[in-house]
Amino acid sequence: RRSAERVLQRRSRRGDSQRVDESVDAGRRAEAVSGGHSYPVGQAVITYADAGRWPEARGEYARLLEIAARKYVPCSMLANAAAAMGELDRAIELAHQACDERDGAQLILARSFPTSRRLRSDPRFVDVIRRLRLPDLPLGGSMRSRGSR
């Protein structure tokens, strides 16, 4: 079973406008069912940015920041959204803040999730990985690639 994130990323990489819209619509439904969780909004930022649909990405990013002004949004999500928008300095700051707050999602996203690839491309992100005390793997790697199961 594919995760929603993988479906969103795969569809957005294709650049297929209809599929991107379908992915974001699925996220909106998830947002409604969850009572307004911020994850689908952050994922929409990344999906639109990956598809090069910058006006939509900027709109969703503004919406995510508005949500963050009203209620807690994990710093890991804000970091990935900021990176998608090209705000790498802010993204690195937020990634460090996620460490400070012990944001559990940061542990999951940092090493290999596609949503964090822009952060992993920044050499400053190595300090974040160090702070998380994750196993010594190449960025983007997985335990499987080292022979573990």
Side-chain angles (χ1 to χ4, degrees):
R1 189 174 175 189
R2 288 190 243 173
S3 72
E5 179 179 12
R6 285 186 184 155
V7 171
L8 291 170
Q9 290 296 321
R10 195 166 290 148
R11 288 180 178 175
S12 66
R13 277 197 301 268
R14 290 183 192 151
D16 181 341
S17 186
Q18 180 181 355
R19 292 194 184 265
V20 168
D21 291 337
E22 290 171 2
S23 296
V24 172
D25 288 344
R28 291 201 200 296
R29 288 190 302 275
E31 181 186 1
V33 168
S34 71
H37 196 278
S38 59
Y39 186 84
V41 181
Q43 189 60 47
V45 173
I46 296 164
T47 299
Y48 281 137
D50 285 348
R53 290 174 55 177
W54 296 105
E56 292 101 327
R58 281 190 291 276
E60 292 298 317
Y61 187 53
R63 194 160 78 91
L64 182 64
L65 296 177
E66 288 171 10
I67 292 168
R70 291 190 319 266
K71 65 181 186 179
Y72 178 75
V73 174
C75 287
S76 56
M77 175 49 63
L78 292 169
N80 286 312
M85 295 306 298
E87 298 179 6
L88 285 175
D89 291 340
R90 180 70 180 136
I92 294 295
E93 287 174 21
L94 287 162
H96 279 288
Q97 188 175 342
C99 291
D100 294 342
E101 294 179 3
R102 293 187 166 92
D103 178 348
Q106 182 79 329
L107 288 170
I108 298 166
L109 298 172
R111 186 57 83 174
S112 59
F113 265 54
T115 54
S116 295
R117 74 181 177 285
R118 288 178 183 91
L119 282 170
R120 286 191 301 273
S121 71
D122 190 305
R124 297 172 293 175
F125 195 64
V126 172
D127 291 334
V128 174
I129 297 296
R130 242 183 245 121
R131 289 186 65 196
L132 293 171
R133 296 181 180 161
L134 294 174
D136 186 23
L137 299 172
L139 288 179
S142 68
M143 292 304 288
R144 259 189 171 210
S145 66
R146 299 271 306 228
S148 300
R149 291 187 188 250

